[in-house]
Amino acid sequence: MVGLGNPGPTYASTRHNVGFMVADELAGRARASWSAPRGLRGDVCETRVTSAGVGGVGADATRVVLLKPRTFMNESGAAVAKACAFFKIDPDHVVAVHDELDLDFGQLRLKFGGGDNGHNGLRSMRAHLGSGDFFRARYGIGRPPGRQDAADYVLRPIPASLREDYAVETSRVADSVELLLTEGLAAAQNRFNS
C-alpha cells in the first residue's frame, strides 16, 4: 500500500498528503514503525494483515508493506517501482491511496485500474510500473473554492477547523484499505464507495 504525498514538514498537513496520513494510520494500528531502507527512496513499514485487520497474527496472516515515497509527488513512481522490485510485488497487488479533486470531501471510491485523471503521482506510478493495473483508494478532497488554483489548494495546510474532520475521514479510508486487503475489492466497494 503506497500513500501518495510529498516529503517533509512543509507538506505534512496538506490535502495532497492524505495518502501519507492513511499510511501513518495503518502503521499506527499495526503498532509498527517506519524505516528507510537504503536505496528504496521511501519510508517503509512491514506488517501483516488478517481478517482482524493490520497487525494481526495467525495462520491467515499475509504480509503487507506500507510505503511513503521520499520523492516528490511527480516522481512517486520511482519509489513505488523500487519497492515493488525489492519486495517482489506485482503492480496488480499495489494499492495507491491518493487525494482526489473530483470527489467531494467525505467521498471515497475504491477501484482497480484506470487512468491518472491529471494526478501527477498516479501518472508517475503508471510510467514507472509500466501499467495502470493497480488498486486505487481515491480520497475525496473536493475542488478549491472560487477561482483558487488547484495546486495552491492541495499544497496549503488543511485549515485547523477541518483537521478533526480529516482525521475521521483518514480513519475511514484506512478502514476501506483494510477491508480491500482482507475481503477484496467488491466487498470494500460495497461498503465504502460513495
Side-chain angles (χ1 to χ4, degrees), residues 51-97:
S51 56
V54 293
V57 294
D60 67 335
T62 303
R63 180 181 72 155
V64 174
V65 177
L66 305 175
L67 172 69
K68 295 189 301 183
R70 276 189 274 127
T71 57
F72 283 97
M73 182 68 82
N74 60 354
E75 284 298 318
S76 299
V80 175
K82 283 187 174 287
C84 285
F86 182 82
F87 291 105
K88 297 177 177 40
I89 298 170
D90 292 329
D92 64 353
H93 282 72
V94 172
V95 179
V97 180

Side-chain angles (χ1 to χ4, degrees), residues 29 47-57 178-179 182:
R29 290 178 184 188
T47 186
R48 299 229 175 245
V49 65
T50 66
S51 56
V54 293
V57 294
E178 282 192 89
L179 191 62
T182 58

Side-chain angles (χ1 to χ4, degrees), residues 4-193:
L4 295 180
N6 285 312
T10 302
Y11 302 102
S13 63
T14 65
R15 290 175 176 90
H16 218 24
N17 274 37
V18 294
F20 277 18
M21 294 172 198
V22 172
D24 285 334
E25 172 72 17
L26 289 168
R29 290 178 184 188
R31 294 184 178 90
S33 56
W34 294 96
S35 65
R38 188 178 184 101
L40 284 193
R41 300 181 73 185
D43 295 324
V44 172
C45 177
E46 291 185 73
T47 186
R48 299 229 175 245
V49 65
T50 66
S51 56
V54 293
V57 294
D60 67 335
T62 303
R63 180 181 72 155
V64 174
V65 177
L66 305 175
L67 172 69
K68 295 189 301 183
R70 276 189 274 127
T71 57
F72 283 97
M73 182 68 82
N74 60 354
E75 284 298 318
S76 299
V80 175
K82 283 187 174 287
C84 285
F86 182 82
F87 291 105
K88 297 177 177 40
I89 298 170
D90 292 329
D92 64 353
H93 282 72
V94 172
V95 179
V97 180
H98 63 91
D99 60 310
E100 181 61 63
L101 285 166
D102 289 336
L103 296 176
D104 290 338
F105 177 72
Q107 288 188 308
L108 166 64
R109 297 267 168 75
L110 299 159
K111 66 183 244 176
F112 181 80
D116 56 52
N117 200 26
H119 194 286
N120 290 333
L122 294 177
R123 180 179 298 126
S124 178
M125 283 182 63
R126 288 171 53 86
H128 283 88
L129 294 175
S131 173
D133 291 338
F134 51 85
F135 294 93
R136 296 109 188 274
R138 301 167 64 207
Y139 185 135
I141 61 166
R143 287 261 167 208
R147 296 178 185 257
Q148 185 180 8
D149 178 63
D152 180 56
Y153 175 71
V154 300
L155 294 174
R156 283 200 179 209
I158 295 166
S161 62
L162 296 177
R163 287 191 193 136
E164 189 173 316
D165 294 335
Y166 269 84
V168 169
E169 186 63 10
T170 295
S171 180
R172 190 173 79 92
V173 175
D175 291 344
S176 77
V177 171
E178 282 192 89
L179 191 62
L180 171 63
L181 295 173
T182 58
E183 295 186 29
L185 181 61
Q189 286 176 323
N190 286 339
R191 181 166 166 197
F192 289 99
N193 274 16

